[in-house]
Amino acid sequence: MRAAADRDRCAISGIGATEFSSDSGRSALSLAVEAALAAIADAGLAPADVDGIVRCDLDAVAHNDLAQALGLPDLTYWGTSGPGGAAPGGMIGQAVGAIRSGQANAVLAFRALNGRSGARFGRAGSGSGAGSGGGRRVGGGGKYDEFFAPYGLVAPGHLFSLLARRHMIEFGTSEEHLGHIALACRARANANPAAQMRDRPLTMEDYLAARMISSPLRLFDYCLETDGACAVVVTSRERAEDGPQPPALIRAVAQSAGPEPQVGFLYPTLMRKSLTTQTSKALAGTLYRRAGLGPGDVDVAQFYDCFTITVLLQLEDYGFCPKGEGGPFAASGAIDKGGSLPINTSGGHLSEGYLHGLNHVVEGVRQIRGTSTSQVPGAEVCLVTSGLPVTTSGLILRRP
Amino acid sequence: MRAAADRDRCAISGIGATEFSSDSGRSALSLAVEAALAAIADAGLAPADVDGIVRCDLDAVAHNDLAQALGLPDLTYWGTSGPGGAAPGGMIGQAVGAIRSGQANAVLAFRALNGRSGARFGRAGSGSGAGSGGGRRVGGGGKYDEFFAPYGLVAPGHLFSLLARRHMIEFGTSEEHLGHIALACRARANANPAAQMRDRPLTMEDYLAARMISSPLRLFDYCLETDGACAVVVTSRERAEDGPQPPALIRAVAQSAGPEPQVGFLYPTLMRKSLTTQTSKALAGTLYRRAGLGPGDVDVAQFYDCFTITVLLQLEDYGFCPKGEGGPFAASGAIDKGGSLPINTSGGHLSEGYLHGLNHVVEGVRQIRGTSTSQVPGAEVCLVTSGLPVTTSGLILRRP
């Protein structure tokens, strides 16, 4: 028997972000501090009110670095979630758990990185063949190298391209279908002055003319490389209601490793029974059950979009369209502004910036507050997903 | 205003441990699985009942490794705590938070390492000058090397020796005082068939005759190097009461970075205003407040003992004796079997094995159950501390 999960007992009461750029010229700690101070002020709090910090396992900024820089007098909760892009939902989950068990009152969740000017994600590791560069290994720390590296599968893009190709083979998905996802995100970025791609329109012709990187994935199927930071403050609902901003209630939060638990590595993606149904399917079940809601209740979604194909898979796995129909659904206009399920309304990782899932949480809060630059009128329920389909977490935010 | 923390709402319902040795001949994953299966069976559960896993940030075993090996069908919560030895209290805290917010029903906390035959702790890093070997850096990832390495401070023992020396200078603490702590732990190990030092008695003469490693710390002031694993299962109190074992109620759990937040690194220990009062002082305040208990209520304690000096500091910081009197208190017999505060009743890290704090949690549960090989008659409240004094976590276990 499962325990009943919390609903609407905690909220995100503050959000903050730095500029997203390709060359911050600053340390990740400096970026984290700026985003954290913005989020704390936005929540109507002072740094001294923060007694918890949760972080992503790949963040270069340790809890103590941030606590010291912010001058926190009494840090009594900290935790780490991951792996990598799967962190945000797990981080929010830890914050909710800490608050609900009386271990913290106000928990800061942050992600800071110089993803372009510093250690760059998404490149083959030097000598590890395991995934991203800069000493980070998204492929499993080299554990599976012998099965994949001989075939040239040494970077995330290589692996996700196989998912995309498989979807094309099984369901007739086209390159243009993926292109529609890239275009939808880019159009939202063009409306968002904070997006890295704010001034760069994208047409289907541009998309199809862009260079192929790992067939069938082209340049614009890949997310950006970004320097920047995001932060949010999680408190009890009651504290959030005392703050200056409308609370974004955390209706439900969940993590899932799926029925074949392979948390956190890209390579096992390819070992699953199906390449085209990922852990997002299992997560959707948990998240909807905990929330007492279904896909029909979701007004807007921020899907983790390290590549276009992950969005397409999630459209299916979260039940917004039948299996195999993610491509036509994306091409139908449903995911665009004014559609039935507008997605990635800040521009997402594909076109706003790659803050490893946490900018999706920030944008989700904006939708609940009604302050997005691509606001969905009357949005009350926002789905936010974190991480690759291979291992994943997510949350549902709700207007009070 | 602080939220009221949970009391007695969750419990440790199962414990497990492998053999502690100096050469397991097995992988850390194999050790973790053995300990986990033992803990799950001890809790009266099947692997399929486990839906959460929390781990130490230095563990070589990832969540997915363990979930796969155990065949968990639906892992819906995972998290990481640390740094290093500060993990156990944080891990239990995460488990409590996950359970109390409905994110998990049964959470497995584990620690597995080949601490002797594999990557050895406590050695200077190769080229990093930052602390422990094997690619692990307890000194702060090299961040502070320039301030310490030129003075030869490249391993944990070097740093803790300065704390010990400072305590001697300020308070007249003697080498024999530290020796009493080593002897107390060794005597408990001699009664514990599972302890690495079960067959090795230790006299004060032996202690003082042992080689000096980092003055004033000698061989027996250092903890052991251990191959092995421990695991515990955390559930709601109600579920634990349905199990075959008497529940060890989690009266309170806490983490603290202290008033000068420097989570997780050894080097900043030396930057604090006082070398002889550490974050354990701040943690004690939080833990006792949450528990509604004080040092006078504690029947038995399992103190994190990477070195003898950390026990001495904690005796003071947790309020069992006045500041500066840890040495005479240790020499008084208070910490021995039959004393007013028996400590480290399995032998501790100094003489049972170094499972990075988690074997202290397991032994704490044994005391609550009444099954320790150095059982404190009628023990109802057990204090368990995790981590160095520099950054720390802890819990108070209670008999129902």
Side-chain angles (χ1 to χ4, degrees):
Chain A
M1 198 203 82
R2 295 174 175 286
D6 277 1
R7 286 179 188 164
D8 304 332
R9 302 296 297 266
C10 292
I12 297 176
S13 59
I15 56 177
T18 65
E19 178 189 23
F20 299 156
S21 76
S22 59
D23 187 8
S24 73
R26 302 158 58 186
S27 68
L29 176 58
S30 167
L31 294 167
V33 167
E34 180 185 332
L37 288 175
I40 293 166
D42 186 55
L45 299 176
D49 296 316
V50 173
D51 54 3
I53 294 179
V54 290
R55 64 186 277 281
C56 169
D57 60 354
L58 293 187
D59 210 290
V61 178
H63 306 103
N64 69 307
D65 294 329
L66 190 53
Q68 276 187 288
L70 293 172
L72 306 189
D74 191 16
L75 185 68
T76 56
Y77 186 87
W78 61 88
T80 298
S81 193
M91 288 156 66
I92 303 297
Q94 283 188 17
V96 166
I99 291 164
R100 293 287 295 144
S101 58
Q103 296 181 70
N105 291 306
V107 179
L108 189 70
F110 76 98
R111 182 72 175 104
L113 73 167
N114 282 317
R116 169 72 197 187
S117 67
R120 294 169 69 182
F121 276 75
R123 312 179 85 186
S126 56
S128 77
S132 65
R136 291 168 185 144
R137 296 172 171 190
V138 296
K143 255 189 295 198
Y144 301 104
D145 281 3
E146 69 223 73
F147 299 111
F148 296 97
Y151 306 98
L153 300 170
V154 296
H158 298 149
L159 301 156
F160 283 98
S161 70
L162 297 189
L163 274 62
R165 181 62 73 198
R166 183 74 198 175
H167 205 277
M168 290 175 169
I169 292 169
E170 282 190 38
F171 304 112
T173 301
S174 69
E175 298 182 347
E176 286 81 358
H177 288 152
L178 294 177
H180 275 287
I181 293 169
L183 267 58
C185 290
R186 183 59 62 89
R188 302 295 86 72
N190 295 154
N192 174 9
Q196 279 181 279
M197 293 294 128
R198 57 188 172 273
D199 299 325
R200 309 269 288 273
L202 184 72
T203 66
M204 187 61 80
E205 290 66 38
D206 298 333
Y207 170 82
L208 291 169
R211 68 179 184 275
M212 191 69 79
I213 297 181
S214 183
S215 174
L217 300 182
R218 293 180 165 81
L219 178 64
F220 298 117
D221 292 301
Y222 278 62
C223 65
L224 303 173
E225 294 176 304
T226 304
D227 289 8
C230 285
V232 304
V233 173
V234 182
T235 67
S236 68
R237 176 181 182 156
E238 292 71 26
R239 281 168 198 270
E241 286 172 344
D242 288 341
Q245 302 287 352
L249 299 182
I250 299 167
R251 178 69 175 185
V253 61
Q255 295 173 283
S256 180
E260 305 153 69
Q262 292 166 322
V263 181
F265 304 122
L266 285 175
Y267 288 170
T269 300
L270 305 185
M271 298 176 184
R272 291 186 183 278
K273 285 180 192 156
S274 165
L275 293 188
T276 56
T277 297
Q278 291 286 329
T279 48
S280 32
K281 175 90 175 168
L283 183 74
T286 304
L287 198 56
Y288 290 144
R289 177 176 50 73
R290 288 184 180 172
L293 299 171
D297 299 305
V298 175
D299 299 312
V300 53
Q302 317 296 335
F303 286 121
Y304 192 84
D305 51 343
C306 49
F307 297 92
T308 50
I309 181 63
T310 65
V311 175
L312 193 152
L313 295 176
Q314 290 174 87
L315 289 169
E316 300 170 356
D317 287 347
Y318 283 93
F320 294 102
C321 63
K323 186 74 223 161
E325 296 183 19
F329 184 80
S332 73
I335 64 173
D336 297 320
K337 188 161 186 172
S340 61
L341 183 74
I343 69 160
N344 299 12
T345 46
S346 69
H349 291 345
L350 291 166
S351 285
E352 184 193 33
Y354 183 70
L355 266 295
H356 225 173
L358 205 59
N359 52 324
H360 282 323
V361 179
V362 170
E363 174 65 10
V365 173
R366 287 196 202 101
Q367 283 290 347
I368 295 302
R369 291 181 180 179
T371 61
S372 168
T373 49
S374 290
Q375 182 62 40
V376 173
E380 294 191 352
V381 174
C382 181
L383 170 67
V384 182
T385 72
S386 308
L388 322 168
V390 70
T391 179
T392 188
S393 67
L395 56 154
I396 292 177
L397 297 173
R398 191 177 76 81
R399 187 180 290 184
Chain B
M1 198 202 82
R2 295 174 175 287
D6 277 0
R7 287 179 187 163
D8 303 332
R9 303 296 297 266
C10 292
I12 297 176
S13 59
I15 56 177
T18 65
E19 179 189 23
F20 300 157
S21 76
S22 59
D23 187 8
S24 72
R26 301 159 58 187
S27 68
L29 175 59
S30 166
L31 294 166
V33 167
E34 180 186 331
L37 288 174
I40 293 166
D42 187 55
L45 299 176
D49 296 317
V50 174
D51 54 4
I53 293 179
V54 290
R55 64 186 278 280
C56 170
D57 60 355
L58 293 187
D59 211 289
V61 178
H63 307 103
N64 68 307
D65 294 328
L66 190 53
Q68 276 187 288
L70 294 172
L72 306 189
D74 190 16
L75 185 67
T76 57
Y77 185 88
W78 61 88
T80 298
S81 193
M91 288 156 66
I92 302 297
Q94 283 187 18
V96 167
I99 290 164
R100 294 287 294 144
S101 58
Q103 296 180 72
N105 291 306
V107 180
L108 189 70
F110 77 97
R111 183 72 175 103
L113 73 169
N114 281 318
R116 170 71 197 189
S117 67
R120 295 170 68 182
F121 276 75
R123 311 180 85 187
S126 57
S128 78
S132 65
R136 291 168 185 145
R137 295 174 171 188
V138 296
K143 254 190 297 196
Y144 300 103
D145 281 4
E146 68 223 73
F147 299 111
F148 296 97
Y151 305 98
L153 301 170
V154 296
H158 298 149
L159 301 157
F160 283 98
S161 70
L162 298 189
L163 275 61
R165 181 62 73 197
R166 183 73 198 175
H167 205 278
M168 290 175 168
I169 291 169
E170 282 190 39
F171 304 112
T173 301
S174 70
E175 297 181 346
E176 286 81 359
H177 287 151
L178 295 177
H180 276 287
I181 293 168
L183 267 58
C185 290
R186 183 59 61 89
R188 303 295 85 73
N190 295 154
N192 174 9
Q196 279 181 278
M197 293 293 129
R198 57 189 173 272
D199 299 325
R200 309 271 288 274
L202 184 72
T203 67
M204 188 61 80
E205 290 66 38
D206 298 331
Y207 170 83
L208 291 169
R211 69 179 184 276
M212 191 70 79
I213 297 180
S214 183
S215 173
L217 300 182
R218 293 179 165 82
L219 178 64
F220 299 117
D221 293 301
Y222 279 62
C223 64
L224 303 173
E225 294 175 305
T226 304
D227 290 7
C230 285
V232 303
V233 173
V234 182
T235 67
S236 69
R237 176 180 183 156
E238 292 71 24
R239 281 170 198 270
E241 286 171 345
D242 289 340
Q245 301 288 351
L249 300 182
I250 299 167
R251 178 70 174 184
V253 62
Q255 296 173 284
S256 181
E260 304 152 71
Q262 292 165 321
V263 182
F265 303 122
L266 285 174
Y267 288 173
T269 301
L270 305 185
M271 298 176 183
R272 291 188 183 276
K273 285 181 191 155
S274 165
L275 293 187
T276 56
T277 298
Q278 292 286 329
T279 47
S280 33
K281 175 89 176 168
L283 183 75
T286 304
L287 198 55
Y288 289 144
R289 177 175 49 72
R290 289 184 180 171
L293 299 172
D297 299 304
V298 176
D299 299 313
V300 53
Q302 317 296 335
F303 286 121
Y304 192 85
D305 52 344
C306 48
F307 298 92
T308 51
I309 181 62
T310 66
V311 175
L312 194 152
L313 295 175
Q314 290 174 89
L315 289 169
E316 301 171 357
D317 287 347
Y318 283 92
F320 295 104
C321 63
K323 186 74 223 160
E325 296 183 21
F329 183 81
S332 73
I335 64 173
D336 296 321
K337 188 161 188 174
S340 61
L341 183 73
I343 68 161
N344 300 11
T345 46
S346 68
H349 291 347
L350 291 166
S351 284
E352 184 192 34
Y354 183 70
L355 266 295
H356 226 173
L358 205 59
N359 52 326
H360 282 322
V361 178
V362 170
E363 173 65 10
V365 172
R366 287 196 202 102
Q367 284 290 345
I368 295 302
R369 292 182 180 179
T371 60
S372 169
T373 50
S374 290
Q375 182 62 39
V376 174
E380 293 189 353
V381 174
C382 181
L383 170 67
V384 182
T385 72
S386 308
L388 321 169
V390 71
T391 179
T392 189
S393 66
L395 55 154
I396 292 177
L397 297 172
R398 191 176 76 80
R399 187 179 291 184

